């Protein structure tokens, strides 16, 4: 009887010890950061000369989903460094910044923080900025699925869309799409640092975005 | 397939029970495992997280039959890298890869020497099933798959008897899970060190 008890205890100890050894996975917030990019392979990024970048990042919230006219923007403490880093990368690639009416390409940046909500991304959010905008416009993405959808966790995402205003035909063609995603946790300094680093990564993994003389 | 494995296990247990008056053993072992083939491509790192429990009875002085269950976890944290998902899609981030292997075998082993020897060599074969789970975490997303394989596990080793009640076992197992509709075959090598409680 004693031996059986001993064996039972030994087996239970082994199981507990093994489960304690189970690998823990990510330890730091930035372990969760990912950057995905997609692009239209037939589009000639090298032929463009100029780009335009809004001064604000549209913040997509539940309110905005209910009423598209209630546009909110990301706090400039966070949005300015992100936009500056996008600008720097574009200039480093040989493009010149222009106003939206004259630019060859327009980059649109949106952000959202989400917990268990699906996002519907609407063209109307950019009506205030996009030249010649008409209600009812749609999107052409360089890949499917079209609408970014995410669930669970408190996550933050920044989406950069590289569009060509000269290709508008009811729909705007998104020639390059970058989505930066991670945990919306940590202080402002940490979020800015991680976001700008991810913007650099988005461009680093997109060498085709370069102006050719 | 699971039906046949259950039948085999029942047969072995029945035979073993009928021999219950003879020597039986219970053992616990610690396993270090090396992934091979596709498993090695998925996780290249050696697993130091593994253990097995086994019960066996001696049908003959040199032949034992029993049941073994073990659990091995492979794990690898990949550095921040860029992966090409499609021709025009890239994703960068850290990947955390896990593979859990839980084989359950009925085993038969043949032993050298005679009862009472301090050292005996053994070799044998296990037949059963391997439950395999592979998990890939990247960012907040996870790809997970699990499957049951029909498994074979030849092994060889040496057993040192401290006395008639306790022994130390050192051995090498090769675990092979056959191809399924969903998954390619998997295989890994296990080094084991274990303590045997002889009844």
């Amino acid at each position: 009887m004693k031996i059986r008890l001993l064996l039972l205890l030994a087996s239970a100890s082994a199981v507990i010890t093994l489960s304690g050894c189970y690998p823990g996975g990510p330890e730091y917030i930035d372990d969760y950061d990912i950057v995905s990019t997609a692009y239209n392979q037939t589009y000639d990024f090298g032929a463009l000369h100029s780009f335009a970048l809004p001064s604000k990042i549209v913040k997509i919230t539940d309110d905005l989903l209910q009423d598209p006219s209630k546009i909110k923007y990301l706090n400039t403490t966070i949005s300015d460094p992100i936009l500056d880093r996008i600008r720097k990368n574009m200039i480093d690639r040989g493009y010149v910044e222009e106003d939206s009416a004259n630019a060859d390409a327009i980059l649109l940046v949106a952000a959202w923080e989400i917990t268990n909500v699906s996002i519907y991304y609407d063209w109307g959010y950019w009506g205030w900025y996009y030249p010649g905008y008409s209600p009812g416009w749609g999107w052409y993405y360089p890949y499917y699925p079209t609408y970014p959808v995410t669930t669970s966790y408190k996550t933050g995402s920044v989406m950069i869309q590289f569009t060509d205003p000269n290709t508008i035909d009811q729909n705007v063609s998104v020639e390059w799409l970058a989505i930066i995603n991670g945990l919306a946790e940590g202080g402002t300094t940490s979020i800015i640092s991680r976001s700008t680093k991810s913007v650099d990564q988005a461009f680093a993994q997109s060498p085709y975005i370069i102006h050719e003389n | 397939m699971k039906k046949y494995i259950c039948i085999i296990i029942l047969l072995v247990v029945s035979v073993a029970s009928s021999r219950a008056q003879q020597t039986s053993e219970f053992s616990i072992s610690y396993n270090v495992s090396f992934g091979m083939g596709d498993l090695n491509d998925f996780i290249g790192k050696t697993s130091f997280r593994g253990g097995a429990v086994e019960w066996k009875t001696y049908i003959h002085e040199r032949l034992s039959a029993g049941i073994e269950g073990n659990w091995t976890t492979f794990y690898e944290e990949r550095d921040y890298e860029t992966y090409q998902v499609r021709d025009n899609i890239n994703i960068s981030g850290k990947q955390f890869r896990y593979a859990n292997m839980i084989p359950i075998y009925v085993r038969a082993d043949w032993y050298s020497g005679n009862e009472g020897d301090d050292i005996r060599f053994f070799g044998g074969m296990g037949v059963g099933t391997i439950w395999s789970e592979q998990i890939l975490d990247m960012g907040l997303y996870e790809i997970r798959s699990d499957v049951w394989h029909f498994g074979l596990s030849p092994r060889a080793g040496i057993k040192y008897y401290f006395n008639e009640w306790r022994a130390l076992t050192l051995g090498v197992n090769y675990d092979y899970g056959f191809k399924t509709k969903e998954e390619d075959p998997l295989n890994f090598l296990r080094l084991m060190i274990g303590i045997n409680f002889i009844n």
Side-chain angles (χ1 to χ4, degrees):
Chain A
M1 189 66 187
K2 268 187 176 177
I3 289 177
R4 282 186 182 173
L5 186 64
L6 185 69
L7 296 179
L8 193 66
L9 285 173
S11 303
S13 304
V15 169
I16 290 166
T17 306
L18 279 174
S19 25
C21 291
Y22 198 77
E27 289 182 55
Y28 304 102
I29 290 178
D30 59 1
D31 286 344
Y32 290 97
D33 291 347
I34 56 171
V35 178
S36 61
T37 53
Y39 73 106
N40 177 356
Q41 291 173 288
T42 62
Y43 187 73
D44 185 4
F45 291 91
L48 308 175
H49 296 276
S50 57
F51 72 97
L53 192 63
S55 58
K56 301 169 186 171
I57 293 179
V58 166
K59 187 177 181 183
I60 302 171
T61 61
D62 290 348
D63 289 346
L64 187 59
L65 298 177
Q66 301 295 327
D67 182 357
S69 67
K70 290 182 179 173
I71 293 188
K72 291 182 181 175
Y73 303 100
L74 199 65
N75 186 317
T76 53
T77 310
I78 294 175
S79 66
D80 283 355
I82 294 173
L83 291 170
D84 285 346
R85 192 57 68 100
I86 294 169
R87 181 178 292 110
K88 179 183 182 303
N89 274 280
M90 288 296 287
I91 291 170
D92 286 350
R93 298 292 175 97
Y95 298 104
V96 177
E97 189 168 10
E98 269 280 7
D99 59 69
S100 62
N102 299 306
D104 296 331
I106 295 177
L107 279 78
L108 304 175
V109 190
W112 61 88
E113 192 177 87
I114 194 165
T115 45
N116 290 318
V117 177
S118 294
I119 285 292
Y120 172 78
Y121 192 79
D122 194 305
W123 243 119
Y125 306 154
W126 294 103
W128 56 276
Y129 179 74
Y130 216 89
Y133 166 77
S134 299
W137 277 9
W139 298 90
Y140 280 135
Y141 280 90
Y143 78 108
Y144 302 95
T146 53
Y147 302 127
V149 175
T150 183
T151 56
S152 73
Y153 305 104
K154 188 179 177 185
T155 72
S157 297
V158 174
M159 179 167 70
I160 309 168
Q161 299 180 106
F162 188 117
T163 67
D164 184 344
N166 300 309
T167 61
I168 294 173
D169 177 20
Q170 294 298 311
N171 293 298
V172 169
S173 178
V174 178
E175 311 299 352
W176 179 69
L177 177 69
I179 296 179
I180 294 163
N181 177 256
L183 282 179
E185 305 286 352
T188 305
T189 309
S190 163
I191 290 174
I192 291 170
S193 167
R194 288 161 49 212
S195 302
T196 51
K197 189 177 163 189
S198 293
V199 168
D200 287 344
Q201 177 57 39
F203 279 91
Q205 68 192 48
S206 309
Y208 41 83
I209 300 180
I210 189 161
H211 169 63
E212 292 165 1
N213 290 314
Chain B
M1 187 187 70
K2 283 184 206 167
K3 185 176 72 178
Y4 296 115
I5 291 167
C6 288
I7 290 170
I8 292 170
I9 290 173
L10 280 173
L11 280 173
V12 170
V13 171
S14 305
V15 171
S17 302
S18 68
R19 305 269 179 177
Q21 297 308 311
Q22 299 198 359
T23 305
S24 63
E25 284 181 24
F26 178 82
S27 64
I28 300 175
S29 66
Y30 169 68
N31 296 179
V32 174
S33 304
F34 307 87
M36 304 167 81
D38 287 349
L39 180 58
N40 185 257
D41 293 340
F42 183 62
I43 295 177
K45 290 203 169 176
T46 301
S47 164
F48 294 96
R49 298 177 175 92
V53 290
E54 183 173 349
W55 176 85
K56 71 175 75 163
T57 186
Y58 284 82
I59 295 167
H60 179 271
E61 190 182 17
R62 291 188 171 186
L63 185 64
S64 72
I67 301 174
E68 181 207 353
N70 76 70
W71 176 20
T72 295
T73 297
F74 291 89
Y75 172 71
E76 185 171 2
E77 179 182 326
R78 295 269 177 108
D79 289 339
Y80 194 97
E81 283 180 43
T82 300
Y83 301 88
Q84 186 168 20
V85 181
R86 282 198 227 162
D87 285 349
N88 66 332
I89 301 175
N90 289 311
I91 298 180
S92 299
K94 287 180 84 167
Q95 286 192 353
F96 298 85
R97 299 181 175 201
Y98 309 78
N100 288 302
M101 303 291 147
I102 302 184
I104 301 167
Y105 300 122
V106 291
R107 285 201 170 278
D109 291 307
W110 180 87
Y111 288 80
S112 69
N114 297 301
E115 204 171 309
D117 290 351
D118 284 347
I119 293 176
R120 298 179 79 180
F121 295 94
F122 67 90
M125 176 67 83
V127 180
T129 183
I130 302 174
W131 181 75
S132 138
E133 178 187 51
Q134 297 193 2
I135 302 167
L136 192 157
D137 284 350
M138 189 171 185
L140 297 161
Y141 302 95
E142 180 171 283
I143 301 169
R144 181 188 288 257
S145 67
D146 66 278
V147 67
W148 290 89
H149 295 264
F150 176 69
L152 286 179
S153 176
R155 72 176 177 184
I158 183 171
K159 188 184 270 186
Y160 172 73
Y161 292 83
F162 297 113
N163 51 45
E164 61 182 309
W165 309 110
R166 300 284 181 274
L168 175 74
T169 301
L170 296 173
V172 181
N173 286 263
Y174 174 68
D175 296 85
Y176 185 85
F178 285 79
K179 181 179 168 63
T180 69
K181 281 179 188 171
E182 300 90 13
E183 298 283 345
D184 288 332
L186 69 86
N187 51 9
F188 56 102
L189 200 66
R190 276 188 290 139
L191 303 181
M192 66 170 188
I193 178 167
I195 295 285
N196 299 63
F197 301 87
I198 304 160
N199 194 12

